[in-house]
Amino acid sequence: MGHLEVAHVDYYLPDGRLLLADASFRVGQGDVVALVGPNGAGKSTLLKLASGELKADSGTVTTSGGLGVMPQFVGSVRDERTVRDLLVAVARPLVRAAALAVDAAELAIMERDDEAAQLAYAQALSDWGDAGGYAAETIWDMCTMAALGVPYEKAQWRQVRTLSGGEQKRLVLEALLRGPDEVLLLDEPDNYLDVPGKLWLEGQLRDTAKTVLFVSHDRELLAQAASVIVSVEPAPGGSDVWVHGGGWPSFHEAREHRFERFEELRRRWDEKHAQLKKL
Ligand SMILES: Nc1ncnc2c1ncn2[C@@H]1O[C@H](COP(=O)(O)OP(=O)(O)OP(=O)(O)O)[C@@H](O)[C@H]1O
Ligand SMILES: [Mg+2]
């Protein structure tokens, strides 16, 4: 079931601005945790730091159990990628490497169809089987049936940009939820989903045995699926990341209390400062 731990992470943007200051939180085995905060607060950046796509300037990220990642752009793919490419991109590294080797061998055979190229192609297909490629295709068949209503055999060469936003999201969610990775990082998984799709996602996140960190702006999904809220709040010295263990229903009250405590501390500090100045 895996875990994720982010400890004392600082991250500077390329323009030198401190985006995240001393960010720490843990997603324990089997927990479903939501990352919330206004646009631009740093939620996607925090997920990219957690997945290793970006590197923190200080602090550490540790994970166990294998990471499955759905970036925020899924739903708005506009390039040449096919359904197969998208499924390969979220597959385990061994399957991913074997798929790329099959692609390369196919390309080589198209350019020069000699015995060496044919042998290399046969080897790549055999490696595809050894890497669990055919088993992955069985699962992908369930994914395309669920998301698109067609078998993988028919769906695999279709361009992702011809799928609707909701279909793109659903396809990747199906693959990650059915896949081997125990920790899922989902950036706005509910975006583009219609009402039945959102209800499906709520149910999946409630029932899954996986460890999940997801970003969402949807109050209903937050209320239904998250047991812990990690809040990313913009501040001049880098966004403040804090953890509320009580879920969404009590989040706003906890946030108010937090601000009141800060105000109280600031008031005491001002008083103390004024006293010291008089001495
Ligand atoms: N390469 C970059 N150069 C400069 N600024 C950047 C870069 N990448 C991200 N940012 C800035 O970092 C901030 C955080 O971006 P991020 O995508 O993490 O926000 P977010 O919390 O996911 O927002 P949203 O809810 O809109 O998805 C934003 O102000 C963004 O403009
Ligand atoms: Mg984002």
Side-chain angles (χ1 to χ4, degrees):
M1 277 162 282
H3 89 290
L4 164 73
E5 177 140 24
V6 171
H8 305 295
V9 160
D10 287 345
Y11 181 72
Y12 288 86
L13 289 167
D15 62 11
R17 182 162 61 98
L18 178 62
L19 179 66
L20 296 163
D22 197 25
S24 293
F25 65 91
R26 183 185 165 86
V27 187
Q29 185 166 310
D31 288 348
V32 175
V33 174
L35 202 51
V36 303
N39 293 137
K43 305 176 298 298
S44 295
T45 305
L46 205 41
L47 281 200
K48 286 177 191 165
L49 289 162
S51 72
E53 186 184 331
L54 292 176
K55 189 150 169 26
D57 290 291
S58 61
T60 55
V61 174
T62 46
T63 62
S64 64
L67 275 183
V69 183
M70 183 165 86
Q72 191 170 354
F73 68 74
V74 172
S76 53
V77 172
R78 296 282 174 267
D79 57 25
E80 300 299 305
R81 263 175 294 178
T82 62
V83 164
R84 176 177 176 275
D85 294 335
L86 195 61
L87 291 169
V88 164
V90 295
R92 66 168 84 200
L94 214 60
V95 171
R96 215 155 55 218
L100 295 180
V102 170
D103 290 349
E106 262 171 9
L107 203 66
I109 228 170
M110 276 193 275
E111 280 169 4
R112 191 185 176 141
D113 190 3
D114 58 12
E115 198 184 333
Q118 284 170 15
L119 274 175
Y121 184 52
Q123 184 61 50
L125 284 182
S126 159
D127 292 346
W128 173 244
D130 292 345
Y134 295 112
E137 284 179 351
T138 308
I139 293 173
W140 294 345
D141 192 54
M142 295 181 210
C143 298
T144 57
M145 284 305 296
L148 313 172
V150 290
Y152 175 67
E153 203 188 13
K154 268 187 92 169
Q156 62 177 322
W157 305 122
R158 191 166 156 193
Q159 285 185 323
V160 176
R161 65 181 168 166
T162 70
L163 308 182
S164 73
E167 287 171 338
Q168 293 184 20
K169 287 278 195 210
R170 179 74 184 255
L171 183 65
V172 173
L173 285 169
E174 292 280 353
L176 291 174
L177 287 163
R178 292 169 195 271
D181 294 315
E182 292 172 10
V183 181
L184 302 186
L185 305 179
L186 309 175
D187 201 342
E188 303 199 9
D190 50 300
N191 247 1
Y192 299 102
L193 293 183
D194 57 15
V195 172
K198 284 193 189 214
L199 291 173
W200 168 82
L201 180 60
E202 282 171 23
Q204 293 291 318
L205 293 184
R206 264 200 315 267
D207 297 344
T208 186
K210 292 185 190 284
T211 301
V212 181
L213 177 65
F214 73 100
V215 176
S216 181
H217 297 286
D218 185 305
R219 282 179 263 173
E220 194 57 29
L221 183 67
L222 292 167
Q224 294 300 326
S227 54
V228 173
I229 308 288
V230 176
S231 181
V232 186
E233 312 213 358
S239 280
D240 178 26
V241 176
W242 64 281
V243 179
H244 171 58
W248 186 250
S250 52
F251 172 71
H252 287 288
E253 205 182 316
R255 188 165 180 266
E256 286 303 314
H257 278 150
R258 195 166 177 270
F259 284 137
E260 282 165 16
R261 277 204 309 278
F262 280 151
E263 276 309 310
E264 175 65 17
L265 283 172
R266 193 195 311 242
R267 198 182 53 73
R268 281 197 221 158
W269 163 252
D270 287 346
E271 274 176 19
K272 193 87 193 156
H273 194 233
Q275 276 174 6
L276 286 170
K277 261 175 53 182
K278 276 190 213 153
L279 290 175

PDB file of all heavy atoms in Angstrom, residues 150-168:
ATOM      1  N   VAL A 150     -14.935   0.598 -25.764  1.00  0.00           N
ATOM      2  CA  VAL A 150     -14.396  -0.237 -26.849  1.00  0.00           C
ATOM      3  C   VAL A 150     -13.190  -1.019 -26.327  1.00  0.00           C
ATOM      4  O   VAL A 150     -12.501  -0.571 -25.408  1.00  0.00           O
ATOM      5  CB  VAL A 150     -13.957   0.586 -28.093  1.00  0.00           C
ATOM      6  CG1 VAL A 150     -15.133   1.150 -28.827  1.00  0.00           C
ATOM      7  CG2 VAL A 150     -12.969   1.670 -27.706  1.00  0.00           C
ATOM      8  N   PRO A 151     -12.916  -2.216 -26.944  1.00  0.00           N
ATOM      9  CA  PRO A 151     -11.750  -2.994 -26.490  1.00  0.00           C
ATOM     10  C   PRO A 151     -10.438  -2.293 -26.833  1.00  0.00           C
ATOM     11  O   PRO A 151     -10.381  -1.460 -27.741  1.00  0.00           O
ATOM     12  CB  PRO A 151     -11.885  -4.323 -27.242  1.00  0.00           C
ATOM     13  CG  PRO A 151     -12.855  -4.092 -28.338  1.00  0.00           C
ATOM     14  CD  PRO A 151     -13.692  -2.921 -27.983  1.00  0.00           C
ATOM     15  N   TYR A 152      -9.401  -2.665 -26.095  1.00  0.00           N
ATOM     16  CA  TYR A 152      -8.082  -2.050 -26.283  1.00  0.00           C
ATOM     17  C   TYR A 152      -7.599  -2.196 -27.722  1.00  0.00           C
ATOM     18  O   TYR A 152      -7.029  -1.262 -28.292  1.00  0.00           O
ATOM     19  CB  TYR A 152      -7.077  -2.687 -25.309  1.00  0.00           C
ATOM     20  CG  TYR A 152      -5.665  -2.206 -25.515  1.00  0.00           C
ATOM     21  CD1 TYR A 152      -5.324  -0.884 -25.239  1.00  0.00           C
ATOM     22  CD2 TYR A 152      -4.680  -3.057 -25.999  1.00  0.00           C
ATOM     23  CE1 TYR A 152      -4.037  -0.427 -25.441  1.00  0.00           C
ATOM     24  CE2 TYR A 152      -3.379  -2.603 -26.203  1.00  0.00           C
ATOM     25  CZ  TYR A 152      -3.066  -1.290 -25.924  1.00  0.00           C
ATOM     26  OH  TYR A 152      -1.789  -0.829 -26.126  1.00  0.00           O
ATOM     27  N   GLU A 153      -7.855  -3.373 -28.303  1.00  0.00           N
ATOM     28  CA  GLU A 153      -7.422  -3.649 -29.670  1.00  0.00           C
ATOM     29  C   GLU A 153      -7.905  -2.554 -30.634  1.00  0.00           C
ATOM     30  O   GLU A 153      -7.184  -2.131 -31.532  1.00  0.00           O
ATOM     31  CB  GLU A 153      -8.014  -4.997 -30.081  1.00  0.00           C
ATOM     32  CG  GLU A 153      -7.270  -5.681 -31.179  1.00  0.00           C
ATOM     33  CD  GLU A 153      -8.037  -6.911 -31.673  1.00  0.00           C
ATOM     34  OE1 GLU A 153      -9.236  -7.072 -31.322  1.00  0.00           O
ATOM     35  OE2 GLU A 153      -7.443  -7.674 -32.406  1.00  0.00           O
ATOM     36  N   LYS A 154      -9.132  -2.076 -30.400  1.00  0.00           N
ATOM     37  CA  LYS A 154      -9.703  -1.032 -31.276  1.00  0.00           C
ATOM     38  C   LYS A 154      -9.254   0.367 -30.874  1.00  0.00           C
ATOM     39  O   LYS A 154      -9.134   1.256 -31.709  1.00  0.00           O
ATOM     40  CB  LYS A 154     -11.244  -1.079 -31.198  1.00  0.00           C
ATOM     41  CG  LYS A 154     -11.874  -1.953 -32.256  1.00  0.00           C
ATOM     42  CD  LYS A 154     -13.361  -1.820 -32.235  1.00  0.00           C
ATOM     43  CE  LYS A 154     -13.862  -0.747 -33.171  1.00  0.00           C
ATOM     44  NZ  LYS A 154     -15.337  -0.844 -33.315  1.00  0.00           N
ATOM     45  N   ALA A 155      -9.050   0.551 -29.552  1.00  0.00           N
ATOM     46  CA  ALA A 155      -8.797   1.908 -29.042  1.00  0.00           C
ATOM     47  C   ALA A 155      -7.331   2.318 -29.107  1.00  0.00           C
ATOM     48  O   ALA A 155      -7.028   3.517 -29.111  1.00  0.00           O
ATOM     49  CB  ALA A 155      -9.272   2.003 -27.592  1.00  0.00           C
ATOM     50  N   GLN A 156      -6.414   1.344 -29.184  1.00  0.00           N
ATOM     51  CA  GLN A 156      -5.001   1.653 -28.901  1.00  0.00           C
ATOM     52  C   GLN A 156      -4.365   2.686 -29.835  1.00  0.00           C
ATOM     53  O   GLN A 156      -3.534   3.475 -29.407  1.00  0.00           O
ATOM     54  CB  GLN A 156      -4.159   0.377 -28.882  1.00  0.00           C
ATOM     55  CG  GLN A 156      -4.122  -0.381 -30.190  1.00  0.00           C
ATOM     56  CD  GLN A 156      -3.202  -1.599 -30.089  1.00  0.00           C
ATOM     57  OE1 GLN A 156      -2.160  -1.544 -29.464  1.00  0.00           O
ATOM     58  NE2 GLN A 156      -3.598  -2.703 -30.718  1.00  0.00           N
ATOM     59  N   TRP A 157      -4.770   2.737 -31.107  1.00  0.00           N
ATOM     60  CA  TRP A 157      -4.113   3.675 -32.035  1.00  0.00           C
ATOM     61  C   TRP A 157      -4.866   4.997 -32.172  1.00  0.00           C
ATOM     62  O   TRP A 157      -4.468   5.872 -32.935  1.00  0.00           O
ATOM     63  CB  TRP A 157      -3.928   3.038 -33.422  1.00  0.00           C
ATOM     64  CG  TRP A 157      -3.176   1.742 -33.353  1.00  0.00           C
ATOM     65  CD1 TRP A 157      -3.605   0.530 -33.790  1.00  0.00           C
ATOM     66  CD2 TRP A 157      -1.882   1.508 -32.781  1.00  0.00           C
ATOM     67  NE1 TRP A 157      -2.672  -0.443 -33.521  1.00  0.00           N
ATOM     68  CE2 TRP A 157      -1.590   0.141 -32.909  1.00  0.00           C
ATOM     69  CE3 TRP A 157      -0.929   2.338 -32.153  1.00  0.00           C
ATOM     70  CZ2 TRP A 157      -0.411  -0.432 -32.446  1.00  0.00           C
ATOM     71  CZ3 TRP A 157       0.250   1.765 -31.693  1.00  0.00           C
ATOM     72  CH2 TRP A 157       0.498   0.407 -31.851  1.00  0.00           C
ATOM     73  N   ARG A 158      -5.948   5.134 -31.428  1.00  0.00           N
ATOM     74  CA  ARG A 158      -6.697   6.386 -31.504  1.00  0.00           C
ATOM     75  C   ARG A 158      -5.898   7.518 -30.838  1.00  0.00           C
ATOM     76  O   ARG A 158      -5.258   7.309 -29.809  1.00  0.00           O
ATOM     77  CB  ARG A 158      -8.039   6.189 -30.775  1.00  0.00           C
ATOM     78  CG  ARG A 158      -8.978   7.306 -31.019  1.00  0.00           C
ATOM     79  CD  ARG A 158     -10.386   6.951 -30.598  1.00  0.00           C
ATOM     80  NE  ARG A 158     -11.094   8.162 -30.331  1.00  0.00           N
ATOM     81  CZ  ARG A 158     -12.246   8.233 -29.715  1.00  0.00           C
ATOM     82  NH1 ARG A 158     -12.836   7.118 -29.302  1.00  0.00           N
ATOM     83  NH2 ARG A 158     -12.822   9.391 -29.513  1.00  0.00           N
ATOM     84  N   GLN A 159      -5.943   8.709 -31.421  1.00  0.00           N
ATOM     85  CA  GLN A 159      -5.208   9.821 -30.817  1.00  0.00           C
ATOM     86  C   GLN A 159      -5.954  10.331 -29.582  1.00  0.00           C
ATOM     87  O   GLN A 159      -7.175  10.506 -29.628  1.00  0.00           O
ATOM     88  CB  GLN A 159      -5.025  10.940 -31.827  1.00  0.00           C
ATOM     89  CG  GLN A 159      -3.948  10.563 -32.848  1.00  0.00           C
ATOM     90  CD  GLN A 159      -3.640  11.685 -33.791  1.00  0.00           C
ATOM     91  OE1 GLN A 159      -4.531  12.414 -34.188  1.00  0.00           O
ATOM     92  NE2 GLN A 159      -2.387  11.816 -34.158  1.00  0.00           N
ATOM     93  N   VAL A 160      -5.184  10.553 -28.535  1.00  0.00           N
ATOM     94  CA  VAL A 160      -5.784  10.970 -27.264  1.00  0.00           C
ATOM     95  C   VAL A 160      -6.557  12.283 -27.426  1.00  0.00           C
ATOM     96  O   VAL A 160      -7.586  12.498 -26.805  1.00  0.00           O
ATOM     97  CB  VAL A 160      -4.690  11.111 -26.177  1.00  0.00           C
ATOM     98  CG1 VAL A 160      -5.278  11.635 -24.881  1.00  0.00           C
ATOM     99  CG2 VAL A 160      -4.010   9.777 -25.939  1.00  0.00           C
ATOM    100  N   ARG A 161      -6.063  13.162 -28.308  1.00  0.00           N
ATOM    101  CA  ARG A 161      -6.729  14.475 -28.473  1.00  0.00           C
ATOM    102  C   ARG A 161      -8.139  14.333 -29.053  1.00  0.00           C
ATOM    103  O   ARG A 161      -8.919  15.290 -29.006  1.00  0.00           O
ATOM    104  CB  ARG A 161      -5.887  15.418 -29.312  1.00  0.00           C
ATOM    105  CG  ARG A 161      -5.703  14.957 -30.728  1.00  0.00           C
ATOM    106  CD  ARG A 161      -4.848  15.905 -31.491  1.00  0.00           C
ATOM    107  NE  ARG A 161      -4.473  15.272 -32.739  1.00  0.00           N
ATOM    108  CZ  ARG A 161      -3.949  15.888 -33.758  1.00  0.00           C
ATOM    109  NH1 ARG A 161      -3.733  17.150 -33.698  1.00  0.00           N
ATOM    110  NH2 ARG A 161      -3.642  15.241 -34.835  1.00  0.00           N
ATOM    111  N   THR A 162      -8.448  13.143 -29.627  1.00  0.00           N
ATOM    112  CA  THR A 162      -9.813  12.947 -30.126  1.00  0.00           C
ATOM    113  C   THR A 162     -10.752  12.457 -29.014  1.00  0.00           C
ATOM    114  O   THR A 162     -11.941  12.300 -29.239  1.00  0.00           O
ATOM    115  CB  THR A 162      -9.860  11.943 -31.305  1.00  0.00           C
ATOM    116  OG1 THR A 162      -9.566  10.627 -30.802  1.00  0.00           O
ATOM    117  CG2 THR A 162      -8.896  12.313 -32.407  1.00  0.00           C
ATOM    118  N   LEU A 163     -10.192  12.188 -27.818  1.00  0.00           N
ATOM    119  CA  LEU A 163     -11.051  11.830 -26.677  1.00  0.00           C
ATOM    120  C   LEU A 163     -11.489  13.113 -25.983  1.00  0.00           C
ATOM    121  O   LEU A 163     -10.754  14.103 -25.981  1.00  0.00           O
ATOM    122  CB  LEU A 163     -10.289  10.981 -25.651  1.00  0.00           C
ATOM    123  CG  LEU A 163      -9.550   9.724 -26.113  1.00  0.00           C
ATOM    124  CD1 LEU A 163      -8.922   9.030 -24.908  1.00  0.00           C
ATOM    125  CD2 LEU A 163     -10.498   8.770 -26.819  1.00  0.00           C
ATOM    126  N   SER A 164     -12.648  13.075 -25.354  1.00  0.00           N
ATOM    127  CA  SER A 164     -13.075  14.247 -24.583  1.00  0.00           C
ATOM    128  C   SER A 164     -12.188  14.357 -23.335  1.00  0.00           C
ATOM    129  O   SER A 164     -11.514  13.387 -22.961  1.00  0.00           O
ATOM    130  CB  SER A 164     -14.539  14.096 -24.171  1.00  0.00           C
ATOM    131  OG  SER A 164     -14.645  13.134 -23.137  1.00  0.00           O
ATOM    132  N   GLY A 165     -12.241  15.519 -22.694  1.00  0.00           N
ATOM    133  CA  GLY A 165     -11.451  15.720 -21.477  1.00  0.00           C
ATOM    134  C   GLY A 165     -11.783  14.675 -20.418  1.00  0.00           C
ATOM    135  O   GLY A 165     -10.891  14.101 -19.789  1.00  0.00           O
ATOM    136  N   GLY A 166     -13.074  14.432 -20.228  1.00  0.00           N
ATOM    137  CA  GLY A 166     -13.503  13.455 -19.220  1.00  0.00           C
ATOM    138  C   GLY A 166     -13.049  12.047 -19.570  1.00  0.00           C
ATOM    139  O   GLY A 166     -12.668  11.274 -18.689  1.00  0.00           O
ATOM    140  N   GLU A 167     -13.075  11.713 -20.866  1.00  0.00           N
ATOM    141  CA  GLU A 167     -12.620  10.374 -21.284  1.00  0.00           C
ATOM    142  C   GLU A 167     -11.122  10.196 -21.029  1.00  0.00           C
ATOM    143  O   GLU A 167     -10.679   9.131 -20.603  1.00  0.00           O
ATOM    144  CB  GLU A 167     -12.938  10.149 -22.771  1.00  0.00           C
ATOM    145  CG  GLU A 167     -14.409   9.918 -23.041  1.00  0.00           C
ATOM    146  CD  GLU A 167     -14.759   9.911 -24.533  1.00  0.00           C
ATOM    147  OE1 GLU A 167     -14.002  10.479 -25.344  1.00  0.00           O
ATOM    148  OE2 GLU A 167     -15.810   9.354 -24.876  1.00  0.00           O
ATOM    149  N   GLN A 168     -10.361  11.266 -21.281  1.00  0.00           N
ATOM    150  CA  GLN A 168      -8.916  11.191 -21.015  1.00  0.00           C
ATOM    151  C   GLN A 168      -8.658  10.928 -19.528  1.00  0.00           C
ATOM    152  O   GLN A 168      -7.860  10.069 -19.154  1.00  0.00           O
ATOM    153  CB  GLN A 168      -8.232  12.503 -21.423  1.00  0.00           C
ATOM    154  CG  GLN A 168      -8.245  12.769 -22.919  1.00  0.00           C
ATOM    155  CD  GLN A 168      -7.480  14.040 -23.305  1.00  0.00           C
ATOM    156  OE1 GLN A 168      -6.652  14.541 -22.557  1.00  0.00           O
ATOM    157  NE2 GLN A 168      -7.763  14.560 -24.484  1.00  0.00           N
TER     158      GLN A 168
END
